[in-house]
Amino acid sequence: MKIVDAKVVVTSPGRNFVTLKLTTDEGLTGLGDATLNGRELAVVSYLADHVVPLLIGLDPHRVEDTWQSLYRGAYWRRGPVTMAAIAAVDVALWDIKAKAAGLPLYQLLGGASRERVGTYGHAGGRDIPELLDSVRARLAEGYPAVRVQSGIPGLKAVYGVVDTDDTGAPVLHQQARPLVEDWDTAAYLRHVPAVFEAVRAEFGAELPLLHDVHHRLTPIQAARLGKDLEPYRPFWLEDCTPAENQEALRLVRRSTTTPLAVGEVFNTVYDYQALITEQLIDYVRSAVTHFGGVTPLRKLFDFAAQYQIRSAIHGPEDISPVGMAAAVHLDLAVHNFGIQEYSGHTPLTEAVFRHAYTFTDGHLHPGETPGIGVELDEELAAAHPYEAAYLPVNRLHDGTVHDW
Ligand code: KDG
Ligand code: MG
C-alpha cells in the first residue's frame, strides 16, 4: 500500500481546526489533528510545504519509521509546531493501519484495559454562586469529576471563566488581536481556598475536584497554594508553575501532598525527564495532538507507569474530534490511565467531524468503527474557512506581561 495524496484542511466551525488527510492507492484514508490554537497556520505551512512532499509514495504501515524520519530527519527537533505536524501524520497512519486491519485503533494498542474512560468536565463562574451553578450543570450532564475555576474579586477576566450567551453556550472571543486579561497573584492565592471551601460545603467530600493554575505561580507561591488546598483534598493542581523549569516542581513537591498534574504544553518525553524519574508529579497531561501523536504518547505512558504516574490526556475544545478520538483509543488501552479531560464540541463541529466515540454518563468510549472512527465532511469544512484568532495575554495592574 502507498500514500498517493496528502491534504491539509483548515476549517473554523466556530473555532479553527487543522486536519491532515492521507489517501492510499487502495482507497483507504487516514485523518490526523494538527491544531495549534492561535498559531494554526504555522503548522499548516510546516505540513503542506515540508512534510506532504515526503509522504507521497510511502508505505502507510511504517508508522514508527515515518515518525523517526520526520523527528530526526528535520534536524531541528521538538517544539509545538513540529510536533503537532508529526502528530497529524502519526495519527493518520495509525488510522489507516487500523482500517486496513478492520479494527478500532485501541485493539492495535493492546486492546481494552477497561470498559469505559472516566472524564472530568469544566465548571467556571464569575463568582462562587455562579461557579456552584456551573458545577451543578456538569453533574447533571453526568461528569464524575469537575474542574473548578472562579473569577477573582478585583480582576475583570480570569482563565477558565467563559462568557456564555442566553442559551448557556460558550461565547468565543476569536479576534484579530489578543484579548488582554488582568492578573493579581496575591488576590488569586487569597481567593482559591475560599472557592474550594464553598464547593466542598455544597457538594460534599467525595466529588473529585480539579483546579488549573495555568502556569501562573512561582514555586514558593505554588507550594503555598498546594498546602492551603490540602484540607479540601483536590484530585489535582494543574500547571501550578511554568514547568519548563522542571526544578520548580522539586520545591512544590517537598511542600505539599496535593497531587500535581503537568504537561499540556510539553512536546516530548525530554520535557518530563526529571518530573517522572524523581516522581515530582502524579499525572502527565500531554495531548496526542501536541506530543507527536499516539506513537510517542504511548511510550510516555509506559515510562510514567514505572513511577506510578498516570495519564490525563489534554482534551479542551481546541483539540479537534480527530485528536479526541485518538486520545480515547489510547485511554481505553493503556494500563496506567488516570482521567480524560473532556469538554465536547459544538453541534456544528460535530457535523464537520462525525465521530464514533460516545460520551455517556460522564464516560467516553471510542466505538468499534475500524480506525480512529472519525469522518471529515470536507464540503461543510470548506463552508467555514479559517478565521484569525489569538489566545489572550495576561497583564498585571501596572501593565507588566504575566504568564497566561
Ligand atoms: O489553547 C489553550 C488551551 O488548550 C488551554 O488553555 C486549555 O489549560 C487548558 C486545559 O487544561 O484544558
Ligand atoms: Mg490546563
Side-chain angles (χ1 to χ4, degrees), residues 106-130:
Y106 76 84
Q107 294 290 13
L108 271 56
L109 302 175
S113 287
R114 59 197 47 80
E115 302 304 318
R116 56 190 193 153
V117 168
T119 67
Y120 71 89
H122 293 179
R126 278 167 297 188
D127 53 23
I128 290 175
E130 208 177 271

Side-chain angles (χ1 to χ4, degrees), residues 120 122 147 149 159 211-215 236 238-239 261 263-265 285 314 316 341:
Y120 71 89
H122 293 179
R147 187 188 83 167
Q149 308 291 137
Y159 172 79
H211 180 68
D212 191 349
V213 184
H214 224 252
H215 325 272
W236 79 37
E238 175 180 335
D239 288 332
E264 67 184 44
V265 299
R285 286 222 354 98
H314 189 215
E341 181 183 30

Side-chain angles (χ1 to χ4, degrees), residues 19-285:
T19 310
L20 177 69
K21 180 177 179 184
L22 302 181
T23 305
T24 73
D25 55 353
E26 295 182 12
L28 289 180
T29 57
L31 297 178
D33 179 24
T35 307
L36 186 62
N37 198 6
R39 293 293 184 272
E40 296 88 354
L41 298 185
V43 192
V44 173
S45 164
Y46 194 106
L47 278 169
D49 297 331
H50 305 292
V51 174
V52 161
L54 304 177
L55 297 177
I56 306 303
L58 284 191
D59 173 0
H61 279 305
R62 298 187 64 176
V63 182
E64 177 73 25
D65 184 68
T66 303
W67 193 94
Q68 297 294 347
S69 73
L70 290 176
Y71 181 76
R72 292 171 200 280
Y75 184 67
W76 310 107
R77 298 180 187 187
R78 310 162 70 183
V81 175
T82 299
M83 300 312 288
I86 295 177
V89 177
D90 184 75
V91 172
L93 294 182
W94 276 111
D95 193 16
I96 291 171
K97 186 188 274 296
K99 282 179 182 170
L103 292 170
L105 175 59
Y106 76 84
Q107 294 290 13
L108 271 56
L109 302 175
S113 287
R114 59 197 47 80
E115 302 304 318
R116 56 190 193 153
V117 168
T119 67
Y120 71 89
H122 293 179
R126 278 167 297 188
D127 53 23
I128 290 175
E130 208 177 271
L131 170 64
L132 298 180
D133 285 346
S134 179
V135 173
R136 229 167 266 121
R138 295 297 85 76
L139 295 179
E141 287 159 5
Y143 282 101
V146 183
R147 187 188 83 167
V148 291
Q149 308 291 137
S150 164
I152 310 295
L155 299 186
K156 25 180 213 321
V158 173
Y159 172 79
V161 181
V162 183
D163 286 343
T164 50
D165 65 19
D166 296 344
T167 67
V171 176
L172 261 184
H173 296 287
Q174 293 231 105
Q175 52 187 10
R177 303 290 306 168
L179 181 76
V180 180
E181 296 187 353
D182 52 350
W183 184 250
D184 177 339
T185 299
Y188 170 79
L189 289 176
R190 276 194 305 274
H191 192 60
V192 177
V195 170
F196 269 76
E197 171 79 38
V199 177
R200 278 280 175 243
E202 183 73 13
F203 298 101
E206 283 177 27
L207 177 63
L209 295 178
L210 302 80
H211 180 68
D212 191 349
V213 184
H214 224 252
H215 325 272
R216 290 165 189 206
L217 301 179
T218 64
I220 202 74
Q221 292 164 345
R224 171 83 269 150
L225 182 61
K227 279 169 83 108
D228 286 350
L229 295 185
E230 277 173 22
Y232 310 108
R233 298 280 192 274
F235 184 90
W236 79 37
L237 196 59
E238 175 180 335
D239 288 332
C240 58
T241 62
E244 60 261 48
N245 176 16
Q246 300 190 24
E247 177 83 14
L249 272 295
R250 291 201 183 107
L251 190 144
V252 182
R253 192 62 155 181
R254 273 200 301 273
S255 312
T256 179
T257 54
T258 291
L260 302 174
V262 164
E264 67 184 44
V265 299
F266 289 176
N267 315 120
T268 70
V269 67
Y270 303 104
D271 301 323
Y272 282 108
Q273 214 159 23
L275 302 185
I276 291 179
T277 56
E278 296 181 33
Q279 284 182 279
L280 301 180
I281 56 174
D282 301 279
Y283 294 90
V284 289
R285 286 222 354 98

